Amino acid sequence: MAFDPRRYVSWFPPTGFTLYWFDVFVHDSFFVIGLRSSMIISAVVTAGSLAIAIPCSFALARYDFRGKESLNTLILSPIIVPGIVTGTSLLILFYSYLHVYAAMPGLIVGQTILAIPYVVRTVTASMIGFDRSVEEAARNLGADELQTLTEVTIPIIKPGIVAGAIFAFSTSWADLSVAAFLTDTSTFTFPVAMMDYMRYNFDNTIAAASLFLVIVTALIVIVTEKTVGLDKFIGLW
Amino acid sequence: VDTGSKRPAKSVVLGFLRRHPIILSLTPVVVLMIGMYIIPLIILLGVSFEKFVPGSFVPEPVFTLENYNRAFSPVYMKVLTDTLWVSAVTAVLTVILAYPLAFYVVRSQSVTRKIVMAFLITSFFVQLIVRIYAFLHVFGDGGVLNQLLLFLGFHKVQWLGGWWPIIISMVHQGIPLAILVQMGSIKAINPELENAARILGANDTTTFRRITLPLSLPGIIASAVLSFTGAASAFVTPLLLGGGRVWMVANYVYVRFTDVLNYPFGSAMSVLLLVLSLVAAYGTTALLSRYVKIK
């Protein structure tokens, strides 16, 4: 449908071939702004949730402490709690209480919260069964703490970290439940732009945008296969 | 620069962190989850008991039950019950359709397994909005389904505005995650147990019912809960596939917050949605795990 030349509400199958809709898509500032916001936000959310989740996974996988079970429940709860509830509560916090009317901080925080359970899960899974004597061996052979971390520990848990990053990115990239609430005139994500467009228009610009997203998805899957391997990726879940 | 006097303090801090690695590594996540997740939820609960001031982001801080009175009025109760049954049907269909696929991906040795897996992961990552666009072309007035009906000599049916396009679309969205969740417990089943049951004279049906199914139940429960809460909080799907006529709880939440800016009433609906999800999660778990014990 993305290549359909008909200029009105048109149904499958297409009647010819044109690149007109891609032209509309790339020149529509609405989509372009959305795409730019989405890319910035997803990158920050991925980096942020990794930075927060990796140390947490270390603690969960290696130590026993009081309240570990409750902490686990707390961290995994955003999967059960409807995303829309997370979105609305952050909206109230930022608008009514903190009087911050820019959407960016809330968006980043909200999507990080949605991503954290997935990242913690995959990174923790990659640490379970980790043979700690390898680290001790490195220390005995003269490596300091930092070297042991960067040369031994991180390479071993790398599949978990990469899988976590992929989860975090795609959670943020596809999120609508937080993003639908936290928008302002210059900050709205690409899915929100598409949703708003679809509410009032039904033409093939959406097909062009969808095709673009499908290509991005295919790239994510290819990157997953090349870095972690699909089998391992599924296994980490 | 006066580093001399700072160094002891710094080394005290570093030493403390080195001796307490758990505190160091958990502080960020705890600060984020309490400060930006638990506290906002408590504020949401509080706001749901406050009074709406038209045109203002900040509600009047007086205690009132009017938001909940309104939420429990017949109009909204209808929305709530609709949301409940639609989500329940979605969850049941998702679990039933996902189970054989999960089983196949875990147990099969064939080449097609890799293809199924690639499909699974691709559809896990495909954006909701793209799926909805595709479903519009299936169920729309001139969509594929109606073209097929016309071709077969039937009349066109107006699908959009009914529940089925929404349910089918939500099942389609839920299946990949359900498969991922179910795979864990299917993988954990030792095939020897099934062999043992067969050797002891059980037929395939009995083996499945008494051994395989109960052992894969944790995954089934988890996937049922996730599909239910996912469907219960859906608002984009009903918004775009509902033809403007079918509304779920989350749609009211969305409109109250973004169009009318009635935060207190929107909060009350959010709280109801949250309670609904938690009750469903714990209810399903309790119900299904009792079933296992009796068997």
Side-chain angles (χ1 to χ4, degrees):
Chain A
M1 294 308 295
F3 303 103
D4 189 351
R6 290 169 293 174
R7 297 286 157 88
Y8 47 87
V9 176
S10 46
W11 299 100
F12 190 83
T15 55
F17 183 89
T18 173
L19 290 174
Y20 172 78
W21 299 110
F22 290 92
D23 197 53
V24 174
F25 167 56
V26 298
H27 288 107
D28 189 326
S29 63
F30 193 56
F31 285 121
V32 172
I33 292 174
L35 197 57
R36 204 176 48 209
S37 306
S38 265
M39 282 183 338
I40 297 171
I41 290 166
S42 298
V44 175
V45 166
T46 308
S49 52
L50 282 179
I52 293 170
I54 292 173
C56 167
S57 296
F58 263 97
L60 287 175
R62 297 196 163 178
Y63 300 102
D64 269 318
F65 48 88
R66 239 176 337 125
K68 188 172 168 178
E69 269 311 302
S70 333
L71 181 73
N72 222 341
T73 313
L74 174 69
I75 291 171
L76 292 182
S77 66
I79 301 185
I80 301 269
V81 171
I84 190 169
V85 177
T86 313
T88 51
S89 63
L90 279 171
L91 179 72
I92 291 182
L93 176 77
F94 279 96
Y95 278 33
S96 306
Y97 283 78
L98 302 177
H99 302 287
V100 172
Y101 300 112
M104 195 67 104
L107 266 173
I108 290 172
V109 168
Q111 296 188 345
T112 306
I113 288 169
L114 294 186
I116 285 231
Y118 296 99
V119 186
V120 169
R121 247 192 104 118
T122 46
V123 179
T124 310
S126 72
M127 284 178 188
I128 286 171
F130 186 104
D131 185 359
R132 291 199 70 180
S133 60
V134 193
E135 285 179 346
E136 273 159 36
R139 295 298 300 277
N140 288 339
L141 292 169
D144 62 28
E145 276 175 46
L146 193 68
Q147 278 175 319
T148 312
L149 185 71
T150 55
E151 310 266 323
V152 178
T153 316
I154 289 184
I156 294 178
I157 62 168
K158 202 172 129 204
I161 294 177
V162 175
I166 293 169
F167 263 119
F169 182 84
S170 52
T171 305
S172 160
W173 182 248
D175 168 67
L176 269 167
S177 51
V178 167
F181 292 97
L182 290 152
T183 52
D184 60 44
T185 44
S186 60
T187 322
F188 45 86
T189 64
F190 192 58
V192 170
M194 280 183 75
M195 179 180 77
D196 278 342
Y197 191 88
M198 272 170 86
R199 276 174 88 176
Y200 308 110
N201 309 275
F202 186 65
D203 66 34
N204 295 327
T205 317
I206 291 295
S210 296
L211 188 67
F212 168 76
L213 286 179
V214 169
I215 292 168
V216 172
T217 308
L219 286 178
I220 293 178
V221 174
I222 291 169
V223 168
T224 312
E225 167 69 12
K226 292 279 178 241
T227 51
V228 194
L230 292 183
D231 252 310
K232 197 150 189 189
F233 183 76
I234 288 187
L236 279 172
W237 165 260
Chain B
V1 190
D2 185 14
T3 47
S5 64
K6 269 190 177 170
R7 193 165 290 145
K10 201 177 154 196
S11 70
V12 167
V13 173
L14 273 180
F16 173 80
L17 291 176
R18 191 158 290 157
R19 270 175 280 121
H20 302 276
I22 301 178
I23 297 180
L24 170 68
S25 49
L26 291 182
T27 305
V29 84
V30 170
V31 168
L32 177 77
M33 295 306 277
I34 303 275
M36 288 288 144
Y37 181 63
I38 297 297
I39 290 178
L41 285 181
I42 294 170
I43 292 177
L44 181 84
L45 186 65
V47 168
S48 72
F49 289 105
E50 288 180 352
K51 210 174 160 64
F52 172 49
V53 183
S56 168
F57 289 136
V58 187
E60 195 184 323
V62 287
F63 181 84
T64 171
L65 285 174
E66 83 183 56
N67 302 309
Y68 285 98
N69 275 335
R70 203 172 144 202
F72 284 111
S73 66
V75 184
Y76 293 107
M77 279 318 277
K78 169 90 171 55
V79 178
L80 204 64
T81 48
D82 278 347
T83 305
L84 266 175
W85 79 257
V86 167
S87 309
V89 171
T90 304
V92 170
L93 288 178
T94 308
V95 169
I96 292 174
L97 291 173
Y99 190 72
L101 279 170
F103 217 83
Y104 175 77
V105 176
V106 173
R107 292 281 173 89
S108 165
Q109 308 287 330
S110 72
V111 195
T112 44
R113 178 177 173 276
K114 189 100 184 167
I115 301 169
V116 173
M117 240 166 48
F119 261 110
L120 168 66
I121 294 189
T122 312
S123 59
F124 183 75
F125 285 136
V126 165
Q127 294 229 1
L128 174 62
I129 209 93
V130 176
R131 299 161 192 270
I132 291 177
Y133 175 75
F135 274 109
L136 275 174
H137 272 284
V138 174
F139 292 109
D141 190 49
V144 174
L145 200 57
N146 273 344
Q147 286 179 25
L148 185 72
L149 284 179
L150 284 179
F151 178 75
L152 293 174
F154 295 103
H155 286 293
K156 279 210 277 191
V157 175
Q158 186 161 22
W159 300 100
L160 299 181
W163 286 112
W164 286 104
I166 296 171
I167 292 176
I168 291 170
S169 166
M170 291 197 302
V171 169
H172 182 257
Q173 287 153 33
I175 282 181
L177 184 63
I179 292 178
L180 279 182
V181 172
Q182 289 178 359
M183 277 175 62
S185 52
I186 295 175
K187 222 182 278 173
I189 301 174
N190 185 352
E192 290 301 314
L193 283 174
E194 293 165 355
N195 290 339
R198 282 204 195 88
I199 290 167
L200 292 171
N203 60 21
D204 280 355
T205 328
T206 317
T207 310
F208 179 75
R209 202 169 51 84
R210 300 291 297 270
I211 308 284
T212 318
L213 191 61
L215 285 176
S216 39
L217 214 60
I220 293 181
I221 295 174
S223 65
V225 169
L226 287 182
S227 324
F228 182 91
T229 55
S233 55
F235 70 99
V236 186
T237 314
L239 179 75
L240 297 174
L241 284 179
R245 270 168 293 148
V246 217
W247 288 63
M248 290 174 73
V249 174
N251 289 104
Y252 280 98
V253 175
Y254 179 63
V255 167
R256 292 297 165 256
F257 271 99
T258 54
D259 292 357
V260 196
L261 301 180
N262 186 343
Y263 287 7
F265 184 60
S267 302
M269 298 290 277
S270 279
V271 170
L272 284 185
L273 188 60
L274 178 62
V275 171
L276 196 75
S277 303
L278 294 182
V279 168
Y282 286 104
T284 323
T285 313
L287 206 74
L288 287 181
S289 44
R290 176 177 298 171
Y291 166 82
V292 176
K293 266 180 208 143
I294 291 169
K295 290 276 161 180

